[in-house]
């Protein structure tokens, strides 16, 4: 019951974006993948959910091969991906965005129950359930994007830069929710973040990517304490 | 007075058929973001299919059913064979327009094939119900049972398609796949199948338009008939006037166009309808670029 990535390589034309990355994330863990812009974080995540074709290597979740599978199929294996930049559909209402995440289950009463639980986590979404997603603030959109992913009742949640473009206070709130959800729902989470400190603070383990390679892997606390990591990624 | 009422009736009926054509263009646009110029060709093909079934079963209604079902099938096949491939393989600078231009090619192809196989033959579809107008105090109105059937068929299709789009899970999947295929896919929607479904629905609406239009006019079916050129051009104009996004807009656009053209033909000149349609299109676009029912809100990132 783990996410195992070994020797994964992804090329963008002549550029190797992910270079022989291996990692192992245990079930129930929240793993932060941190690194500078262009370190290959997003590419790694997109490869894991079938959005980007890979060059070599393997990745598996609970025995399912993650590579060469369509994203719509991975959802059915319990893998949900929240892509970069508040992945909501602005032309649909908040409720429709949420319902979209559970359509494939074809079980309306279960979807309603799941939606109610998501509203308990993010009450703002319930207040705005009939509004178009276009009218939401950045933070609310991120909540909606995560909520939509949770509607699929995933076991593995892939989050791409949820802090992008958000105010510090909102980031703190959303990261706290991510931590709570992980613990409460027994999720396994891969959180890709440029905001290294916020991510490591809520994570169990951390993986530092540099130019597509794994530069360091350790428990989140050790990484926060590591002088080299502090200097390079935490800014002090 | 009777001339006025008749003009309104004729305008609304032909407008209803333009609406149906506009609906099929809107369906393709809403589900795949493609403007399907081949739609009139598909409608013509479906009508020929319907014509063959009239010969087989001697019933317009059974033929209408088969024309709609097979019209949907042909449309789905076009999406699978051409649009899907173009959508996936095209990432260059013309990625957005390539499928649209391909539909122009398809229009020519379908037209040519129909010409080869059916060109010389005389094909007539007789009205399934009387097209003789009702008589009120000695005057025969333009309103006939056939025109009532056409108008109610269009209203029924508009209402049921709107319901499917806004109230059902299939409709939600259709809209999500059109607005953002990647997010829909991540949410677990089988986007490829949904896009095919959108085309199939459009093919069905187009087939209904062709099968209703033909007996309402002269009844003669020919690859070069003016009626099908009108269907393409006027259906397209009606869809754009209506805002291209909205089924209700398509119907309003179609009815408006039908009325304006009927009045121009009746009171001004029978040679002007094409020009009038284009003037109306330009006028609406200049005053309301988003169309009658289109919303102005742009997408935020």
């Amino acid at each position: 019951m783990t996410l195992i990535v070994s020797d994964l390589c992804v090329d963008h034309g002549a550029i190797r974006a992910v270079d022989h990355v291996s990692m192992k994330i245990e079930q129930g863990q929240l793993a932060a993948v941190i690194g500078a812009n262009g370190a290959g974080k997003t590419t790694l995540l997109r490869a894991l959910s079938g959005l980007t074709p890979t060059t070599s290597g393997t990745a598996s979740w609970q025995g399912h091969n993650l590579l060469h599978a369509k994203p719509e199929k991975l959802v059915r294996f319990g893998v949900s991906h929240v892509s970069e930049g508040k992945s909501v559909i602005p032309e649909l209402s908040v409720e429709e965005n949420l319902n979209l995440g559970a359509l494939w289950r074809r079980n309306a009463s279960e979807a309603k129950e799941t939606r109610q639980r998501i509203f308990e986590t993010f009450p703002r979404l319930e207040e705005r359930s009939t509004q178009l997603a276009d009218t939401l603030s950045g933070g609310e959109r991120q909540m909606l994007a995560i909520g939509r992913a949770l509607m699929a009742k995933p076991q593995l949640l892939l989050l791409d830069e949820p802090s992008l473009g958000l105010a510090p206070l909102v980031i703190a709130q959303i990261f706290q929710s991510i931590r709570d959800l992980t613990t409460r729902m027994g999720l396994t989470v891969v959180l890709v973040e440029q905001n290294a400190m916020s991510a490591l603070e809520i994570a169990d383990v951390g993986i530092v990517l540099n130019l597509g390679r794994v530069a360091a892997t350790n428990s989140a606390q050790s990484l926060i304490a590591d002088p080299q990591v502090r200097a390079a990624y935490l800014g002090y | 007075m009777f001339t006025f009422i008749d003009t309104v009736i004729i305008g609304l009926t032909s407008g209803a058929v333009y609406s149906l054509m506009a609906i099929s263009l809107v369906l393709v646009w809403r589900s795949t973001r493609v403007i399907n110029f081949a739609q009139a060709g598909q409608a013509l093909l479906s009508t020929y299919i319907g014509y063959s079934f009239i010969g087989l079963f001697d019933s317009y209604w059974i033929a209408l059913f088969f024309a709609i079902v097979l019209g949907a099938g042909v449309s789905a096949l076009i999406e699978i064979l051409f649009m899907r491939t173009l959508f996936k393989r095209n990432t260059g600078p013309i990625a957005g327009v390539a499928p649209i231009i391909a539909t122009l090619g398809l229009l020519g192809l379908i037209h040519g094939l129909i010409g080869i196989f059916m060109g010389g033959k005389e094909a007539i579809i007789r009205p399934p119900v009387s097209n003789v107008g009702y008589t009120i105090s000695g005057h025969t109105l333009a309103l006939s049972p056939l025109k009532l059937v056409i108008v109610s068929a269009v209203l029924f299709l508009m209402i049921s398609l709107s319901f499917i789009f806004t109230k059902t899970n299939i409709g939600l999947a259709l809209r999500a796949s059109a607005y953002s295929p990647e997010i829909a896919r991540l949410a677990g929607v089988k986007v490829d199948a949904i896009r095919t479904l959108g085309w199939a629905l459009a093919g069905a609406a187009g087939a209904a338009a062709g099968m209703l239009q033909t007996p309402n006019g002269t009844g003669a079916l020919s690859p070069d008939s003016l009626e099908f050129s009108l269907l393409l051009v006027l259906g397209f104009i009606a869809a754009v006037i209506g805002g291209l996004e909205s089924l209700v807009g398509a119907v309003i656009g179609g009815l408006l166009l039908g009325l304006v053209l009927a009045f121009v033909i009746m009171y001004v000149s029978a040679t002007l309808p094409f020009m009038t349609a284009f003037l109306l299109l330009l006028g609406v676009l200049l005053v309301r670029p988003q169309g009658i029912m289109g919303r102005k809100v742009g997408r935020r990132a």
Side-chain angles (χ1 to χ4, degrees), chain B residues 10-22:
Chain B
I10 291 170
L12 287 179
T13 320
S14 48
V17 178
Y18 308 150
S19 302
L20 209 45
M21 204 60 204

Side-chain angles (χ1 to χ4, degrees), chain B residues 8 11 81 84 93 106 111 124 126 133 141 146 152 170 181 197 217 231 267 280 288:
Chain B
V8 171
L81 290 179
R84 192 175 285 189
L106 279 169
H111 212 258
I124 299 255
R126 265 174 262 288
L141 286 172
L146 178 69
S152 29
I170 292 281
L197 178 70
L231 262 193
Y267 291 100
L280 190 67
R288 251 184 99 78

Side-chain angles (χ1 to χ4, degrees), chain B residues 15-181:
Chain B
V17 178
Y18 308 150
S19 302
L20 209 45
M21 204 60 204
I23 282 178
S24 68
L25 290 164
V26 168
L27 284 172
V28 164
W29 171 255
R30 277 185 75 155
S31 52
T32 55
R33 300 279 126 179
V34 171
I35 308 245
N36 184 12
F37 286 110
Q39 198 67 258
Q42 290 172 231
L44 182 64
L45 179 64
S46 311
T47 312
Y48 267 108
I49 292 173
Y51 170 74
S52 316
F53 275 94
I54 292 178
L56 271 176
F57 292 100
D58 201 26
S59 157
Y60 175 86
W61 302 109
I62 296 178
L64 177 67
F65 171 78
F66 278 105
I68 288 176
V69 170
L70 293 174
V74 168
S75 195
L77 207 63
I78 288 176
E79 199 283 323
I80 292 169
L81 290 179
F82 298 100
M83 296 302 134
R84 192 175 285 189
T85 321
L86 279 168
F87 183 65
K88 287 206 172 126
R89 295 183 53 183
N90 230 299
T91 49
I94 60 157
V97 281
I100 298 173
I101 296 180
T103 65
L104 268 178
L106 279 169
L107 175 63
L109 184 69
I110 294 172
H111 212 258
L113 285 175
I114 293 174
I116 290 173
F117 291 106
M118 309 297 260
K121 293 173 196 152
E122 165 115 328
I124 299 255
I125 297 183
R126 265 174 262 288
V129 291
S130 167
N131 197 15
V132 178
Y134 296 107
T135 309
I136 293 178
S137 56
H139 180 88
T140 306
L141 286 172
L143 184 67
S144 66
L146 178 69
K147 291 196 163 45
L148 277 181
V149 165
I150 291 175
V151 173
S152 29
V154 171
L155 284 179
F156 170 76
L157 281 170
M158 180 197 79
I159 292 168
S160 37
L161 285 171
S162 294
F163 179 82
I164 290 176
F165 254 85
T166 53
K167 301 280 180 231
T168 68
N169 287 344
I170 292 281
L172 178 56
L174 276 162
R175 283 180 292 148
S177 306
Y179 290 131
S180 174

Side-chain angles (χ1 to χ4, degrees), chain B residues 188-213:
Chain B
V189 175
K190 288 177 175 160
V191 172
D192 288 342
I194 290 292
R195 292 165 67 92
T196 307
L197 178 70
W199 274 70
L201 286 175
M211 284 296 283
L212 293 172
Q213 164 82 346

